[in-house]
Structure formats: structure tokens, C-alpha cells
């Protein structure tokens, strides 16, 4: 055989490489990037390939306004998106929405004076920043805040920064609107120019939406005047492009049908598990803990032994729900999408800063079922925006009226707890086929995990997490349908029914895709992650504690007492452990009644349970009444530095308990009522008084 010279070898090798490259394209290289392959699977922090320099990002994308959000449940993010959208459509601003945790802030002193920053900030828990706003909050309010250009606070380093702020809060909490107020004060102290008074939306009063609408109009007027903007007629401009894909089907391997990210799509889910990446956990046990037929309270044991999830007593577990089949069907039907529910769609941002809120390609059904909060409250602004796509003139006029008249909207929509599909159904039975799916993606919040106080002790059962959840419903007089069902608790009820042998569970007429995308949740699994909390037992078990937890508010205290009982069994000295618990009747909804007796045996005289039954007699008795009756014991323990805990309803129970505690302190110690209130506030500040409450 003739020998190959050097040139022949070079040519031959080049041909081999070229051939290999051709046949491996799309397998080992040239693979279209899936934005959900990494970003949703990673823990919080820098995203690969993305700059953390906000000024650089704004310059690259040609933006002159950024709307930052600090959001725990998605509401602040929704308001941020709406402000960005309106600023663009009405005033021609080049806007972008930004997650506070995605950027660094040392260069805000170089923020150009012809650009604008808007901060939409929710206050979480007891005056705390939301998870994604912690770093920004600690930086901007820090005593030693330092920017790239140098200079101390008195040098007013943010003199060029023009900003606007809106806060979301709940007036039933002690530290109402703490985040936006502290950030506003810090920015002003650093020399930033506030364009308009900071707005505040109050979820506790049920006026969040109207507070927002009332604030934004004068804000836009002031902004337009100070930045020389001209208002124009607002026309819908899509943020996302939605393309139907005839070349793909729902059975195609790389089509998402509810999976949250690529690892889940490929069946190789891995940690860290967090708010971007759930663990598909088996339900080890489920049971009903009420003894009446018309109400449900569930106890579930979630097995996390095969994950890297850990928790501490007092933490929260997040459950990732799916929407009920009935509501998915309603939504698809009114938009004229029922026949195309399994049509594959690709969704992409039409702007480089726009983030698609779920992985694509996907299907209409999967996007609606797993990713969109279709049962959430409806805003007047959204209804007004949909008027342009009404099926006829009468419907258009009705939508416009609903959008403009807040009293009419309250009567017809808010007071009836209607979701958006129900609103469209009531306005017109005709199909709303002209509504772009993009406006639905943009205007409906992402379906959020629901958080539950963990009702077990990590000392006793570190690999199983207990959940105690009342199945929610709201009965609306005179409304058809007149019962609004909780999204997540009914989903959990369906899982419980399946685990107990029901092949096709349909709690309250609701069905769920409980086997999950591609049957990946089969065998009774539920997507979860753990959120750490500051609601904690004292590190010294000999320290006394007082707990107030009516109804399912007793959940974390079951974990607290379970832990103290185990410590007592192990020979540790355990301090006085007092629980005030309330329910309707002991024969109906006395949660964990038998367990308290078991814990009493372990703890002896250290444990005391005081019960309040609101419907046992003609006179309603609540936990605050029992607390008042035990004033001497309560004050004695407080003087021994007992920790005081409250869990449950924020708007009524928690507020009443706080008032009663102030009265106990003032009366037992011979102090004025004002001094009693002051001491309760001092207890809160020192973390002696802790709350895990909701509205």
C-alpha cells in the first residue's frame, strides 16, 4: 500500500473531523440553549452569562428605566411588571423589570441622571425583606454603605439617582410597610431624588389594588412633568411572542408539559432544592384530623429522606400546587383554546430583558395548569386592558365600565371573588378568541408555592416533615358559583383521597392532574421545598415558653412540644411549656387531642394546655379570653423571660392577643396601659415575642 504523505494525512483527518461534527450536531454541540436548564435548577445567585451590573445591562438593552422588585409571593413582581408595561405604553419609557437579587448595587452612585429607578417592595413577616431583597436591603440601609465612587452618606453619593417607590404590606402586622419606608429613608439620606411620594398598598384592609391604582396616576403626572415625558394613547404591545409549533407534539421529549426545569424534564432532578427547584417528595402518610363531614383538615407526612432537604423546628414547607382541572377547562374554553389545549407553543421575550415565566416549548394546557395563577384575584387594570379584545361592542363597553368604575368593579368582581375566566364568562358567553395568549402570560401572576408551618420537630423526625392544613373555601352569598376553593389545600385533599384508595379523586367536584407531568408524581408525590424561618424555640430548653395557636395555628407548636417532650425523655431539664389552643367544638375539630395527652406524660407538670371552644356554648370563648384568665401565670413566666409565640390569623386573633398581653402586663404590674403596650413592643424588638401569622 502506498504511503500517505503529510498533506494526505491532514486532509484525511480534516474529513474525519468534519464528518463527526456533522453527525453529532445537536447531540454534543450546536444544541439550542434552554434558559431553564440552569437558572431554575441553581440556587439563588449569579446566573451564568448574565451581568450583575445594572448600568451595563441598561446600556446594552437601551433602557432608561428599571423597575426593581422584592417579592415573596409574586404580587410585587406583578406590580413591577405592570408599572414597566404602563411606563412604556403610555409615556414611551424604555423599561425593564429586574429581580433585586440579580444585581449588585455598589455602582448606583454612577446611575445616570437621565434614567429612572422604581422600587416595588413587599414587607414580609415581621418587617423583614423578602428573600430576594435581603442583600439589597442590608446593603442600602447599612451603616457602612460604600459605593464604587467612594464617599460617605453625608457626601450624598446617590445625588444623580431619580427614584420612585411603592410598598406592599399588611396593616395587621406590627411592622407595616417597614421595608419600603426604610429603603425610602435610606435612599433619601444618601442623596437620591424621590420623584413622587412613596405609595403603600394595604393587603390587610383588602385595598391593595385600589391603593396601587390611586397612587400611580398622580405619580405618573409628577414623573412626566419632572422628566419631560409626553403621554400618548396606550396601545397593547406584547412583551412575549407566542408561536404555535406544528413540528412538535406534547409527547416530544424536549417539550415541557409541567416540569419546572430541564433536570426535571430529563428525569434526573437534583438539588439544591429551593424556590426555583422543587423536590418531588413522596407522601409517607396522610389522614383527616377533623371529625365532621363538611370540613377537612389534613395531616400529611412528607418524606425528604432521599433529598438534601433539611429543616429546623419552626420552619415552613412550600407546596407547589397545580390548578384544578375544572378551572383549567374554564380558562381554555372561554379563550376558545379547548381544541388546541395540547398544541405546543414556544414563548420568547420580544425584548432582551423580558423573562419568560415558565420553560418552553410547552403546551397551552401545561402553561395554564402548572404555571399561571388563573384562580387569583383580578385587577381593574387587567379588565380594562382586555376590553379591546372583547367579542362584541356590548362586551367591550361592559369591560370598560368594570375597568373604570371601582364601585361597580367591587360589586361585580371583587366581592364575588371571581377569577379572570369567570369575569369573561359573565360579561359574554361568546368565546374571547381575540385575546392574545401573550397578554394572559404577562398579566396573570406565576402560580406560586404555598407555605405551611411545619408541624413536626426536626429533632424527632429529621427526614419527615409534617403538614397540618385546613382545606380552604370561601362561601360567597348570592354568587354563582358561590364557593371558592383553596387551590393548594384541595390539591392536597385529592392526594390524600388517592392514597386512601380513590382511583379518581375529585374533592368538592375538583379534579387534579395529581400524577404530574408524564406521570412523574405517580405514587402520591408532591413538589416541595423548605423555607427557613426565625420562628424558633429558645436554644436553652429550660427557658419557659407560652404559645397561642388556635385552629391550624397550632401546627408549629405541635413541633415545639414534640421536641420538648423528646428532650424531657432524654433527661434534659425542660422549662414550663404553656399552650393556649382554640377550636369550635372538642367533638369536631380538636386537633391532635390524643397527642397532647402523650406529651403531657413525657413533660409532666412542665406542660399545661388551656382550651377555648368558640361554639361549645352560647357564649363564644376564644384563646385571648383564656389568656386573660391566666394573667397571673402568664405574667409570672414573662418575668422569668419566657418566650411568647403566636401563630394563626393576623387580622383578628393575633391583634387581640397582643392587646390582651399588654393589658395583663399593665394590670399585674401596676403600670399604665401605654406602658404595657410599650413593653409588648419591646418584647417584639428583642425577639421575646414572635409571630407566625397570616391574613
Amino acid at each position: 500500500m502506498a504511503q500517505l504523505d503529510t498533506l494526505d494525512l491532514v486532509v484525511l483527518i480534516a474529513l474525519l473531523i468534519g464528518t463527526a461534527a456533522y453527525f453529532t450536531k445537536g447531540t454534543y454541540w450546536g444544541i439550542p440553549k434552554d434558559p431553564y436548564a440552569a437558572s431554575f435548577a441553581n440556587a439563588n445567585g449569579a446566573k451564568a452569562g448574565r451581568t450583575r451590573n445594572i448600568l451595563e445591562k441598561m446600556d446594552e438593552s437601551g433602557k432608561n428605566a428599571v423597575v426593581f422588585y422584592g417579592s415573596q409571593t409574586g404580587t410585587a413582581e406583578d406590580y413591577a411588571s405592570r408599572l414597566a408595561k404602563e411606563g412604556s405604553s403610555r409615556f414611551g419609557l424604555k423599561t425593564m423589570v429586574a429581580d433585586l437579587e440579580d444585581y449588585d448595587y455598589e455602582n448606583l452612585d454612577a446611575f445616570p441622571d437621565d434614567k429612572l429607578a422604581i422600587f416595588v417592595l413587599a414587607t414580609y413577616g415581621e418587617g423583614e425583606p423578602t428573600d430576594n431583597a435581603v442583600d439589597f436591603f442590608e446593603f442600602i440601609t447599612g451603616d457602612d454603605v460604600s459605593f464604587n465612587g467612594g464617599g460617605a452618606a453625608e457626601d450624598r453619593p446617590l445625588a444623580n439617582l431619580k427614584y420612585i417607590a411603592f410598598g406592599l404590606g399588611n396593616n395587621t402586622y406590627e411592622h407595616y410597610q417597614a421595608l419600603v419606608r426604610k429603603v425610602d429613608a435610606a435612599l433619601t439620606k444618601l442623596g437620591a431624588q424621590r420623584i413622587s411620594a412613596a405609595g403603600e398598598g394595604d393587603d390587610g384592609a383588602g385595598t391593595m389594588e385600589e391603593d396601587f391604582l390611586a397612587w400611580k396616576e398622580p405619580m405618573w403626572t409628577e414623573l412626566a412633568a419632572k422628566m419631560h415625558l409626553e403621554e400618548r394613547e396606550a396601545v397593547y404591545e406584547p412583551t412575549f411572542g407566542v408561536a404555535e409549533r406544528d413540528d412538535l407534539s406534547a409527547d416530544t421529549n424536549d417539550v415541557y408539559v409541567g416540569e419546572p426545569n430541564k433536570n426535571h424534564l430529563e428525569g434526573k432532578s437534583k438539588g439544591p432544592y429551593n424556590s426555583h427547584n422543587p423536590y418531588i417528595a413522596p407522601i409517607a402518610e396522610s389522614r383527616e384530623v377533623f371529625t365532621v363531614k363538611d370540613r377537612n383538615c389534613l395531616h400529611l407526612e412528607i418524606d425528604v429522606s432521599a433529598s438534601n432537604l433539611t429543616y429546623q423546628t419552626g420552619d415552613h414547607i412550600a407546596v407547589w400546587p397545580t390548578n384544578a382541572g375544572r378551572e383549567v377547562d374554564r380558562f381554555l374554553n372561554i379563550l376558545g383554546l379547548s381544541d388546541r389545549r395540547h398544541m405546543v407553543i414556544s414563548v420568547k421575550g420580544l425584548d432582551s430583558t423580558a423573562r419568560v415565566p415558565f420553560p418552553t416549548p410547552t403546551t397551552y394546557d401545561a402553561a395554564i395548569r402548572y404555571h399561571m395563577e388563573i384562580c387569583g384575584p383580578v385587577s381593574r387594570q387587567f379588565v380594562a386592558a382586555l376590553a379591546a379584545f372583547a367579542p362584541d361592542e356590548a362586551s367591550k363597553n361592559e369591560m370598560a365600565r368594570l375597568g373604570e368604575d371601582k364601585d361597580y368593579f367591587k360589586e361585580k368582581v371583587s366581592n364575588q371573588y371571581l377569577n379572570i375566566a369567570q369575569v369573561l364568562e359573565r360579561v359574554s358567553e361568546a368565546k374571547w378568541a381575540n385575546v392574545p395568549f401573550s397578554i394572559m402570560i404577562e398579566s396573570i401572576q406565576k402560580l406560586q408555592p404555598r407555605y405551611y408551618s411545619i408541624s413536626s420537630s426536626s429533632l424527632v423526625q429529621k427526614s419527615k416533615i409534617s403538614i397540618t392544613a385546613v382545606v380552604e373555601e370561601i362561601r360567597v352569598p348570592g354568587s354563582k358559583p358561590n364557593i371558592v376553593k383553596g387551590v393548594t389545600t384541595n390539591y392536597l385533599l385529592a392526594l390524600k383521597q388517592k392514597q386512601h384508595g380513590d382511583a379518581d379523586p375529585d374533592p368538592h367536584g375538583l379534579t387534579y392532574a395529581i400524577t404530574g407531568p408524564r406521570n412523574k408524581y405517580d405514587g402520591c408525590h408532591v413538589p416541595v421545598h423548605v423555607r427557613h424561618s426565625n420562628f424558633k424555640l429558645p436554644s436553652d430548653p429550660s427557658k419557659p415558653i407560652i404559645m397561642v395557636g388556635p385552629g391550624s395555628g397550632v401546627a408549629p407548636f405541635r413541633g415545639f412540644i414534640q421536641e420538648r417532650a423528646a428532650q424531657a425523655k432524654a433527661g434534659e431539664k425542660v422549662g414550663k411549656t404553656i399552650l393556649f389552643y382554640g377550636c369550635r367544638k372538642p367533638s369536631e375539630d380538636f386537633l391532635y387531642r390524643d397527642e397532647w395527652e402523650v406529651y403531657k406524660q413525657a413533660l409532666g407538670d412542665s406542660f399545661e394546655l388551656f382550651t377555648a371552644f368558640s361554639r361549645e356554648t352560647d357564649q363564644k370563648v376564644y384563646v385571648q379570653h383564656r389568656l386573660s384568665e391566666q394573667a397571673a401565670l402568664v405574667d409570672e413566666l414573662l418575668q422569668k423571660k419566657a418566650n411568647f409565640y403566636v401563630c394563626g390569623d393576623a387580622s383578628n386573633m393575633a391583634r387581640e392577643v397582643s392587646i390582651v398581653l399588654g393589658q395583663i402586663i399593665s394590670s399585674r404590674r401596676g403600670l399604665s396601659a401605654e406602658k404595657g403596650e410599650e413593653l409588648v413592643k419591646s418584647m417584639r424588638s428583642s425577639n421575646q415575642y414572635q409571630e407566625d401569622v397570616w391574613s
Side-chain angles (χ1 to χ4, degrees):
M1 186 175 78
Q3 285 191 324
L4 295 173
D5 61 20
T6 303
L7 180 60
D8 292 332
L9 284 171
V10 170
V11 171
L12 182 59
I13 291 169
L15 286 170
L16 288 170
I17 291 172
T19 302
Y22 177 81
F23 285 107
T24 59
K25 182 179 181 182
T27 303
Y28 297 108
W29 71 283
I31 304 170
K33 185 179 179 183
D34 179 355
Y36 284 80
S39 64
F40 271 53
N42 288 342
N44 295 345
K47 310 296 193 294
R50 290 184 188 163
T51 178
R52 292 190 60 82
N53 184 325
I54 187 60
L55 304 184
E56 185 179 284
K57 183 65 177 179
M58 292 178 75
D59 285 341
E60 285 176 356
S61 53
K63 305 300 182 185
N64 61 6
V66 56
V67 188
F68 293 108
Y69 65 85
S71 186
Q72 195 70 32
T73 64
T75 306
E77 181 179 359
D78 177 56
Y79 281 124
S81 297
R82 288 165 61 181
L83 286 172
K85 190 88 173 169
E86 190 170 356
S88 173
S89 63
R90 283 181 62 184
F91 299 96
L93 287 168
K94 304 299 182 185
T95 58
M96 65 174 285
V97 177
D99 186 331
L100 277 168
E101 73 178 353
D102 285 349
Y103 295 94
D104 298 321
Y105 301 96
E106 289 84 356
N107 63 349
L108 284 182
D109 58 337
F111 204 89
D113 62 4
D114 62 345
K115 296 187 178 182
L116 173 71
I118 301 176
F119 297 90
V120 183
L121 305 170
T123 297
Y124 165 66
E126 292 304 300
E128 303 156 29
T130 56
D131 292 346
N132 74 317
V134 170
D135 290 344
F136 167 73
F137 176 76
E138 292 179 349
F139 172 80
I140 207 71
T141 60
D143 294 332
D144 57 349
V145 59
S146 176
F147 296 96
N148 291 343
E154 54 268 24
D155 299 320
R156 301 175 65 81
L158 299 186
N160 285 338
L161 176 65
K162 293 183 175 69
Y163 79 96
I164 289 165
F166 181 78
L168 294 80
N170 186 316
N171 70 6
T172 61
Y173 287 74
E174 174 76 11
H175 303 285
Y176 176 59
Q177 299 288 2
L179 194 69
V180 73
R181 293 175 183 178
K182 289 179 180 179
V183 168
D184 185 30
L187 290 170
T188 302
K189 179 181 177 182
L190 294 167
Q193 305 171 53
R194 186 177 58 224
I195 296 294
S196 180
E200 295 183 351
D202 186 2
D203 188 48
T207 58
M208 178 76 76
E209 177 68 16
E210 291 304 327
D211 293 340
F212 173 74
L213 296 178
W215 164 79
K216 73 179 182 65
E217 287 308 316
M219 178 276 292
W220 287 128
T221 301
E222 289 187 68
L223 178 65
K226 291 179 181 178
M227 294 193 72
H228 310 293
L229 304 175
E230 290 188 12
E231 185 171 0
R232 61 190 186 183
E233 183 180 357
V235 178
Y236 173 64
E237 298 171 352
T239 302
F240 302 112
V242 180
E244 295 188 347
R245 299 285 302 275
D246 292 324
D247 58 320
L248 296 173
S249 76
D251 296 326
T252 307
N253 288 338
D254 57 356
V255 171
Y256 293 85
V257 289
E259 297 91 350
N261 56 50
K262 193 167 186 178
N263 281 335
H264 283 269
L265 177 68
E266 295 177 345
K268 48 186 181 184
S269 169
K270 59 183 180 181
Y273 298 108
N274 51 36
S275 59
H276 302 296
N277 184 40
Y279 171 60
I280 311 303
I283 299 175
E285 177 191 339
S286 60
R287 68 178 190 270
E288 175 65 56
V289 286
F290 279 175
T291 54
V292 288
K293 292 182 178 180
D294 61 338
R295 296 163 60 219
N296 298 94
C297 182
L298 305 175
H299 177 92
L300 298 98
E301 296 286 344
I302 309 300
D303 186 349
V304 295
S305 59
S307 74
N308 61 358
L309 283 174
T310 60
Y311 78 101
Q312 293 182 338
T313 309
D315 282 345
H316 300 135
I317 184 169
V319 175
W320 293 46
T322 69
N323 285 308
R326 183 173 69 189
E327 294 305 328
V328 174
D329 293 345
R330 185 199 308 275
F331 192 93
L332 287 162
N333 180 62
I334 198 64
L335 294 181
L337 293 172
S338 294
D339 293 341
R340 307 206 309 281
R341 68 189 308 152
H342 298 303
M343 169 67 72
V344 176
I345 56 174
S346 287
V347 183
K348 68 175 183 177
L350 300 179
D351 180 280
S352 62
T353 65
R355 283 193 193 179
V356 180
F358 47 78
T360 76
T362 186
T363 65
Y364 287 116
D365 184 284
I368 295 162
R369 188 179 301 276
Y370 292 101
H371 300 294
M372 297 170 67
E373 193 79 71
I374 60 172
C375 293
V378 180
S379 75
R380 276 201 295 129
Q381 195 172 8
F382 184 23
V383 169
L386 291 178
F389 308 105
D392 52 59
E393 197 64 25
S395 302
K396 180 178 181 180
N397 293 337
E398 177 68 3
M399 293 291 278
R401 182 184 177 190
L402 286 168
E404 293 168 1
D405 188 334
K406 70 176 183 180
D407 293 329
Y408 186 63
F409 181 85
K410 183 178 181 181
E411 175 193 348
K412 296 293 185 180
V413 179
S414 299
N415 287 352
Q416 304 299 319
Y417 294 89
L418 300 183
N419 60 46
I420 188 59
Q422 290 171 326
V423 172
L424 298 182
E425 281 180 338
R426 293 197 179 191
V427 171
S428 174
E429 293 180 358
K431 299 291 186 283
W432 291 67
N434 294 328
V435 175
F437 196 64
S438 57
I439 199 172
M440 291 304 199
I441 299 173
E442 296 157 15
S443 304
I444 296 174
Q445 288 186 39
K446 184 179 177 182
L447 187 60
Q448 295 291 327
R450 270 51 167 184
Y451 293 92
Y452 298 91
S453 302
I454 293 175
S455 56
S456 55
S457 162
S458 56
L459 177 67
V460 176
Q461 50 181 75
K462 66 179 182 179
S463 61
K464 284 185 182 178
I465 294 175
S466 299
I467 297 177
T468 307
V470 173
V471 179
E472 298 175 12
E473 67 176 30
I474 300 172
R475 295 180 179 270
V476 185
S479 174
K480 293 182 180 181
N482 67 343
I483 302 177
V484 182
K485 297 295 184 182
V487 173
T488 308
T489 52
N490 280 279
Y491 169 54
L492 292 175
L493 179 56
L495 285 165
K496 178 256 180 185
Q497 290 176 348
K498 183 189 176 187
Q499 190 168 52
H500 287 258
D502 191 335
D504 297 299
D506 60 341
H508 306 116
L510 303 178
T511 58
Y512 291 86
I514 56 178
T515 60
R518 294 184 170 92
N519 293 321
K520 290 174 181 173
Y521 303 174
D522 201 11
C524 284
H525 288 69
V526 64
V528 299
H529 72 270
V530 170
R531 182 176 71 188
H532 298 295
S533 165
N534 294 322
F535 195 75
K536 292 286 182 285
L537 279 166
S539 56
D540 179 1
S542 67
K543 189 174 183 179
I545 61 173
I546 303 167
M547 300 163 287
V548 183
S552 60
V554 80
F557 303 138
R558 176 181 182 265
F560 282 16
I561 296 168
Q562 190 180 70
E563 182 150 319
R564 288 205 152 190
Q567 290 169 329
K569 282 185 176 180
E572 294 187 56
K573 182 182 178 182
V574 173
K576 197 73 173 177
T577 302
I578 306 297
L579 172 62
F580 291 90
Y581 171 71
C583 64
R584 293 183 184 181
K585 295 181 178 181
S587 60
E588 292 183 359
D589 52 0
F590 194 159
L591 298 182
Y592 305 116
R593 184 174 187 170
D594 295 336
E595 287 189 25
W596 305 129
E597 295 298 326
V598 175
Y599 299 141
K600 175 70 175 176
Q601 292 174 15
L603 289 164
D605 292 339
S606 295
F607 176 55
E608 287 192 66
L609 171 65
F610 298 100
T611 54
F613 304 118
S614 62
R615 301 190 185 181
E616 181 72 357
T617 64
D618 292 339
Q619 184 177 3
K620 292 190 174 183
V621 180
Y622 296 111
V623 285
Q624 57 265 32
H625 300 139
R626 295 299 187 221
L627 188 69
S628 184
E629 290 171 3
Q630 298 298 323
L633 175 61
V634 168
D635 185 55
E636 177 191 343
L637 294 176
L638 290 180
Q639 302 228 39
K640 295 178 180 177
K641 302 302 179 183
N643 275 13
F644 190 88
Y645 301 92
V646 182
C647 182
D649 167 46
S651 56
N652 296 305
M653 181 276 299
R655 179 175 286 182
E656 289 296 320
V657 166
S658 181
I659 291 170
V660 168
L661 189 64
Q663 293 170 347
I664 288 173
I665 292 172
S666 62
S667 64
R668 297 294 304 178
R669 303 180 192 180
L671 305 172
S672 67
E674 292 76 15
K675 185 63 177 177
E677 292 175 9
E678 184 182 320
L679 287 174
V680 170
K681 288 183 178 179
S682 176
M683 288 172 61
R684 291 179 185 273
S685 299
S686 66
N687 223 30
Q688 184 183 357
Y689 188 126
Q690 298 181 36
E691 289 184 317
D692 182 2
V693 294
W694 56 85
S695 59

